[in-house]
Amino acid sequence: MQLGLIGLGKMGGNMRDRLRAAGHEVVGYDPRPEVTDVDSLAALAGALSAPRVVWVMVPSGEITRNTVKALAEVLDEGDLVIDGGNSRYTDDGPNAALLAEKGIRYLDCGVSGGIWGKENGYGLMAGGAAEDVERAMPIFDALRPEGPREEGFAHAGPVGAGHFSKMVHNGIEYGLMQAYAEGFELLEAAELVENVPAVLQAWSRGTVVRSWLLDLLVRALSDDPQLAKLDDYVDDSGEGRWTIEEAITHAVPLPVISAALFARFASRQESSPAMRAVAALRQQFGGHAVKAAAGPAGAPGETAGPGADVPSTPAP
């Protein structure tokens, strides 16, 4: 099958390789001349036989929206556009409507697999009309992992359902990563455990917490047993935030995913104003020891609040 692929970054470039290895003809476009096959979207459209299928794999937001608008000008009635990036699902309806004015079809597809997808395959969650999904199925089958289709691909529902599913997937990913990270920190803090990487590796087979994410953590620790080479700053792609916003809309409690997102926010603070406030309150009501901005801890009760009755037992 023939496919136009827009965006040849870490995932898009690997997807092109995997599709070509499966025997598909892929014409790729990227602004970087060293990786692109054609020099413009118009040239991409010209290199494909009608009816065309074009996969968009660019950063979410304005870049994706602008790409879809540009495709509406160079594609024809009966062509199909698939947005495989991490777009917010609320963008899919407007994108589909814009293309429908020209008779161009639209699918959204959540894609999971990261830089390992080229070798292992990608988990795919598609949204859109059944006939459009069926039309693109040779591409989906080439990208998904080997094995039963239902274990690597889902037609999640109408337009928007694919990206909504991927959003929730990423929210779950936040929680899983945070749980592994907290377990690692506790093992590191306990002097009793002398070989933390070995413990985590021993969990990778047979235990109820085994997973690919655990395998990746074991891999990271094999190169850097204390992860000392890394800074603790952790960014977020936005999908965790969107997941929590949807949970609020639907009144669904997500304490684990919410805590995982907020932990990432905490990682970006050189100093936490909130925790300084907690320290000040503990000192004020209980005379608990505090540390100056740079220096040793203060003595218990050193500067308790004015007129405070300092309790003789530790406060919670």
Side-chain angles (χ1 to χ4, degrees), residues 53-85:
V53 178
V54 176
W55 188 299
V56 179
M57 203 70 188
V58 301
S60 63
E62 198 64 26
I63 296 176
T64 294
R65 292 190 288 268
N66 287 339
T67 300
V68 170
K69 290 176 184 176
L71 286 173
E73 300 302 319
V74 299
L75 297 181
D76 299 316
E77 183 176 353
D79 292 344
L80 171 64
V81 172
I82 305 171
D83 177 11

Side-chain angles (χ1 to χ4, degrees), residues 175-261:
L176 291 172
M177 292 171 68
Q178 187 65 26
Y180 285 129
E182 291 175 7
F184 165 75
E185 181 173 354
L186 180 55
L187 288 168
E188 278 284 298
E191 295 180 1
L192 186 63
V193 180
E194 297 179 346
N195 193 339
V196 174
V199 171
L200 292 171
Q201 187 169 13
W203 293 352
S204 62
R205 289 182 183 272
T207 75
V208 296
V209 299
R210 65 188 184 274
S211 74
W212 186 51
L213 283 174
L214 178 60
D215 293 342
L216 293 177
L217 179 56
V218 170
R219 178 187 176 93
L221 290 170
S222 69
D223 297 330
D224 185 3
Q226 281 78 45
L227 302 180
K229 301 175 184 177
L230 300 176
D231 186 80
D232 63 356
Y233 183 103
V234 183
D235 212 337
D236 70 285
S237 64
E239 296 206 52
R241 303 182 190 211
W242 303 342
T243 303
I244 293 168
E245 289 173 10
E246 290 301 319
I248 294 170
T249 298
H250 295 281
V252 174
L254 298 185
V256 172
I257 295 174
S258 300
L261 176 63

